[in-house]
């Protein structure tokens, strides 16, 4: 083997491992398995994945770029916390971008797509836990905007839904109350009537609704938790 190729080959391998590590850690953070403030220990993660520290450090950088982790001097890397202001920011971004996608998608929405979106809404209404509701809710929104055929826009919206899911799972994972999503049904009714403006207005309001509920921490302290429930 040409020795000049070896560093490049090793870097590619490290990048591949780093991508796998960051993907798994991001899934744990979004699911609430790794709570805000939890320390990400480089040694432990390297041992878990059977690798060196190099791809782990790269994985941490990727998590920081996603806003899922923060690096603090003398404290290492921790799972990022989030504030009500950040939740509102994500809600406003979702409203702007999902409406943009919907306007481009609307002319291409078929009856079959709208029927499938209605089925997703009913699945969400009948969900008994927050995870199944989030999956059904995400499916509803994705069905309505995918026909916009704008991959960069859709990828950004997917990232915002990941952030929404994280807020939701951290705040609501212990308890969930089934409810009927009247906004979803109203959006579908407007789209079936060809009233894109009405559908856009409802969607704008819908994704900016932030739920609030008291939650009890492991220490017994009660605090208000917030999440995007739309």
């Amino acid at each position: 083997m040409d020795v000049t190729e070896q560093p490049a080959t090793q870097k590619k391998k490290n990048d591949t491992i780093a991508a796998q590590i960051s993907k798994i850690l991001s899934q744990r953070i979004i699911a609430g398995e790794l709570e805000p403030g939890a320390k990400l220990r480089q040694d432990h993660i390297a041992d878990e994945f059977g690798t060196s520290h190099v791809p782990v450090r790269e994985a941490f950088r990727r998590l920081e770029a996603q806003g899922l982790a923060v690096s603090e001097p003398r404290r290492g890397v921790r799972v990022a916390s989030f504030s009500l202001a950040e939740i509102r920011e994500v809600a406003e971004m979702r409203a702007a971008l999902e409406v943009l996608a919907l306007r481009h998608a609307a002319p291409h929405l078929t009856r079959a797509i709208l029927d499938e979106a209605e089925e997703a809404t009913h699945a969400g209404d009948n969900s008994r836990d927050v995870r199944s509701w989030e999956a059904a809710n995400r499916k509803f929104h994705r069905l309505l905007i995918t026909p916009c055929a704008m991959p960069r826009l859709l990828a950004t919206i997917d990232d915002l839904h990941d952030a929404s899911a994280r807020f939701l799972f951290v705040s609501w994972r212990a308890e969930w109350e089934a409810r009927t999503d009247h906004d979803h049904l109203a959006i579908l009714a407007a789209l079936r009537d060809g009233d894109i403006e009405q559908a856009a207005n409802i969607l704008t309001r819908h994704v900016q609704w932030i739920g609030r509920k008291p939650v009890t921490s492991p220490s017994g302290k009660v605090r208000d938790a917030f999440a995007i429930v739309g």
Side-chain angles (χ1 to χ4, degrees):
M1 177 185 294
D2 187 338
V3 293
T4 60
E5 294 180 356
Q6 194 166 359
T9 302
Q10 185 60 45
K11 183 180 184 303
K12 185 176 180 180
K13 180 180 178 182
N14 285 338
D15 286 346
T16 300
I17 297 171
Q20 294 171 346
I21 294 172
S22 64
K23 181 179 180 181
I24 292 171
L25 292 179
S26 68
Q27 289 171 344
R28 293 175 184 175
I29 293 170
I30 291 167
E33 296 171 16
L34 292 171
E35 296 188 347
K39 187 168 185 178
L40 297 174
R41 300 183 183 278
Q42 192 175 118
D43 290 343
H44 292 178
I45 293 171
D47 287 343
E48 178 184 351
F49 290 93
T51 189
S52 69
H53 288 180
V54 175
V56 176
R57 285 195 293 268
E58 174 58 28
F60 286 174
R61 283 192 285 269
R62 295 181 184 211
L63 292 174
E64 289 183 66
Q66 291 177 267
L68 295 176
V70 291
S71 179
E72 302 172 330
R74 297 181 296 279
R75 295 189 66 190
V77 180
R78 295 178 179 273
V79 175
S81 300
F82 53 84
S83 64
L84 179 56
E86 290 175 275
I87 296 173
R88 285 177 175 150
E89 179 185 17
V90 170
E92 290 185 19
M93 288 179 68
R94 274 190 56 193
L97 297 184
E98 287 190 40
V99 165
L100 173 62
L102 180 64
R103 290 187 187 279
H104 284 274
H108 309 289
L109 290 171
T110 64
R111 179 176 178 178
I113 292 173
L114 295 177
D115 287 347
E116 189 176 357
E118 185 170 354
E119 290 175 9
T121 291
H122 293 319
D125 292 345
N126 294 321
S127 295
R128 298 183 179 275
D129 60 81
V130 67
R131 291 182 187 278
S132 57
W133 178 86
E134 194 279 331
N137 183 67
R138 189 183 297 221
K139 182 178 180 179
F140 170 86
H141 285 269
R142 198 61 160 81
L143 281 165
L144 295 187
I145 63 175
T146 295
C148 77
M150 302 169 75
R152 290 185 180 180
L153 177 60
L154 292 172
T156 302
I157 293 171
D158 282 344
D159 287 343
L160 293 171
H161 271 275
D162 283 344
S164 293
R166 185 187 174 215
F167 303 149
L168 189 68
F169 293 154
V170 169
S171 302
W172 259 262
R173 69 173 181 264
E175 299 175 6
W176 181 253
E177 296 178 1
R179 62 189 180 87
T180 300
D181 200 319
H182 296 290
D183 280 351
H184 281 192
L185 298 177
I187 291 168
L188 290 173
L191 290 172
R192 287 187 171 115
D193 289 342
D195 193 341
I196 299 173
E197 198 61 35
Q198 175 70 352
N201 289 338
I202 298 169
L203 180 61
T204 300
R205 183 190 73 241
H206 173 67
V207 299
Q208 291 188 84
W209 185 70
I210 296 175
R212 172 182 176 179
K213 67 179 290 188
V215 296
T216 304
S217 68
S219 64
K221 185 178 179 180
V222 178
R223 63 176 176 83
D224 280 336
F226 301 89
I228 300 167
V229 194

